[in-house]
Amino acid sequence: MALVGDQDISKYEKRRYGTPDQKLVDRLEQARVDDIIRSLELAEVRVLDVPCGYGRFSTVFASHGTKIICADVSAAMVGRARERMAEEGHRGMYVVMDIRHLPFKANAVEATFTMRLFHHGFARDEMAVILKELARVTRRWVILSYYRYNALHAFFRWLKGFSSRIKMMTDEEFLAEVKAAPLAVRSRRPVFPFLHAQTLVVMEKIIL
């Protein structure tokens, strides 16, 4: 399930948010995540960032004093997240793992955070399995992003000639996936309303 080859991480990190429009998206995403951390009072609690990638959001959580666990299927990504955390003076826990089979007991963390995963085909296909696993290990919150269907965003991607395929979901499709896990949607936060499909969702675990 690794999205980027281990040998390409440095190149990916430098280029991924290098263009002006992507720099704006990066700033907006980080601002939305910062707001969620504050609103849910996630400082000083344990949060699982999976997949953590190269640590783009791990450092945001750590800056609030969150006890962050950086996890990814790629050992190289986890290593780079560790480096970024150290560069900014943060400490964390670092684990190589498959999000479909998390090596934690039930209720092990206060929240899980999953950013930019479910618009990829393989993750979309296994979304119900992944959500159940995230719901199992969290005590309360599951925070994630997905591409909520947006015709304008789809048109812009076509206009720019993007070759990568992404999976957007309607509200009905998303809620059907959530229904399979003991989770309830508490808030949705579009990254760039009307112009971008990326949407952050806060869900709360339902105690059955």
Side-chain angles (χ1 to χ4, degrees):
M1 290 179 67
L3 299 177
V4 180
D6 288 353
Q7 71 277 11
D8 299 322
I9 289 173
S10 179
K11 183 187 299 183
Y12 176 81
E13 183 179 356
K14 290 176 181 177
R15 292 183 178 180
R16 178 61 185 86
Y17 296 97
T19 61
D21 60 325
Q22 290 304 304
K23 285 180 180 178
L24 175 60
V25 169
D26 180 38
R27 287 197 297 270
L28 290 172
E29 287 181 345
Q30 297 214 27
R32 298 289 183 272
V33 171
D34 192 82
D35 288 342
I36 289 172
I37 294 170
R38 294 177 188 276
S39 65
L40 300 184
E41 299 181 344
L42 295 179
E44 306 299 333
V45 299
R46 194 171 300 281
V47 174
L48 173 64
D49 180 6
V50 59
C52 65
Y54 56 82
R56 188 163 68 101
F57 293 97
S58 302
T59 54
V60 177
F61 278 94
S63 69
H64 287 270
T66 303
K67 301 171 185 176
I68 195 72
I69 303 172
C70 304
D72 202 289
V73 71
S74 165
M77 282 291 194
V78 173
R80 178 56 188 143
R82 183 197 293 266
E83 290 175 357
R84 281 176 58 98
M85 290 276 284
E87 288 167 4
E88 297 191 21
H90 303 308
R91 300 177 67 181
M93 179 178 173
Y94 307 93
V95 188
V96 177
M97 64 176 69
D98 187 329
I99 193 172
R100 297 167 297 183
H101 308 287
L102 299 172
F104 297 111
K105 295 180 180 178
N107 305 312
V109 297
E110 183 70 12
T112 64
F113 176 76
T114 303
M115 190 72 170
R116 286 187 169 271
L117 178 66
F118 294 112
H119 59 286
H120 295 287
F122 67 87
R124 174 69 179 87
D125 293 341
E126 298 194 61
M127 189 171 183
V129 172
I130 295 170
L131 289 180
K132 287 179 182 178
E133 188 67 350
L134 294 175
R136 181 184 68 80
V137 302
T138 190
R139 192 185 74 81
R140 187 171 185 186
W141 303 110
V142 169
I143 307 159
L144 59 81
S145 75
Y146 76 101
Y147 271 40
R148 189 180 187 186
Y149 182 76
N150 182 309
L152 191 57
H153 187 181
F155 174 71
F156 284 153
R157 287 183 59 83
W158 174 82
L159 200 63
K160 290 183 176 181
F162 287 150
S163 58
S164 62
R165 294 181 177 273
I166 61 171
K167 297 278 189 177
M168 294 190 185
M169 282 181 271
T170 64
D171 288 344
E172 292 75 17
E173 289 171 331
F174 178 74
L175 291 174
E177 297 288 353
V178 173
K179 188 177 181 180
L183 296 169
V185 175
R186 297 307 184 206
S187 69
R188 281 195 181 94
R189 306 179 189 217
V191 168
F192 201 156
F194 308 112
L195 296 178
H196 202 288
Q198 179 78 317
T199 303
L200 279 154
V201 183
V202 174
M203 295 183 288
E204 189 170 10
K205 184 173 182 175
I206 300 170
I207 306 300
L208 301 176

